[in-house]
Amino acid sequence: GSRRYLPVWRKAAELGFTVTVLADGGCGINQFPTMAGYCDHYVEYNSLLPWTAAMVHVASFVGGAVFEQIPELRVVFLDGGADVVYPFMWRMDKPWRGVRNQVPWIEKHPTEYLADHVRFCVQRAEGAALSAPSLTSLAAELTVYGSRFPHWDAITPAEARAGLDADAADRL
């Protein structure tokens, strides 16, 4: 949502590109991926991917009014996040009306930007959350298939659809 990136987002939207965001800390010049520094174990890193790669960016895109300024912009987060986005966005929605004077450019509840602008690739780790009755319709609306091949946790289309109701499986 930083203004310095607006020309990039505008050009992507103008060209009809979907912006993809991948959590990858491999270049050696990145900031610490967590407030506690680098993760010591893969289980920590993999569990934090949706937070570090997606939620921080979603908050920035919404808070910086990127989706208001570029209504045709679409963003896909390649490391999942559909299972954690609604609790996270609830935290943005809750104070929104009370702080409107600080963010008058956010024209609607922050969660309302998701359907038009944001998608998350399915992750093996999200299977249980995506098939939970309370989240199925919400998370499945924002989830798209991405295999993650050649990673060890790659997921087949059949595995991604397992446990989803017919409508959610068809959307995926």
Side-chain angles (χ1 to χ4, degrees):
S2 174
R3 286 184 290 239
R4 73 178 143 209
Y5 298 117
L6 284 175
V8 175
W9 309 143
R10 280 195 178 99
K11 192 64 169 179
E14 176 187 318
L15 294 171
F17 291 170
T18 297
V19 172
T20 58
V21 178
L22 172 69
D24 184 9
C27 70
I29 59 170
N30 295 338
Q31 296 178 347
F32 291 126
T34 75
M35 298 306 284
Y38 288 100
C39 299
D40 292 325
H41 306 285
Y42 181 78
V43 69
E44 299 168 76
Y45 176 75
N46 192 55
S47 300
L48 291 170
L49 282 177
W51 296 103
T52 57
M55 298 312 110
V56 172
H57 287 294
V58 168
S60 184
F61 279 121
V62 172
V66 174
F67 298 138
E68 282 292 336
Q69 295 177 61
I70 312 168
E72 61 279 2
L73 182 66
R74 304 294 177 265
V75 180
V76 175
F77 294 95
L78 302 177
D79 293 300
D83 60 334
V84 296
V85 72
Y86 281 97
F88 175 77
M89 293 304 292
W90 178 85
R91 294 180 66 96
M92 285 192 79
D93 282 351
K94 187 161 177 51
W96 171 70
R97 285 204 193 282
V99 297
R100 288 283 317 224
N101 62 327
Q102 295 177 14
V103 287
W105 48 85
I106 301 176
E107 297 286 332
K108 51 192 176 184
H109 278 91
T111 300
E112 293 180 53
Y113 291 99
L114 296 177
D116 293 333
H117 301 282
V118 177
R119 295 294 181 270
F120 302 91
C121 279
V122 68
Q123 279 280 316
R124 182 175 299 282
E126 293 174 329
L130 292 180
S131 60
S134 61
L135 286 178
T136 297
S137 63
L138 300 175
E141 288 175 22
L142 300 180
T143 304
V144 296
Y145 176 73
S147 71
R148 289 191 48 78
F149 181 83
H151 295 283
W152 70 270
D153 61 347
I155 188 168
T156 67
E159 290 171 317
R161 294 167 55 108
L164 298 178
D165 64 42
D167 289 339
D170 288 343
R171 278 195 304 270
L172 181 64

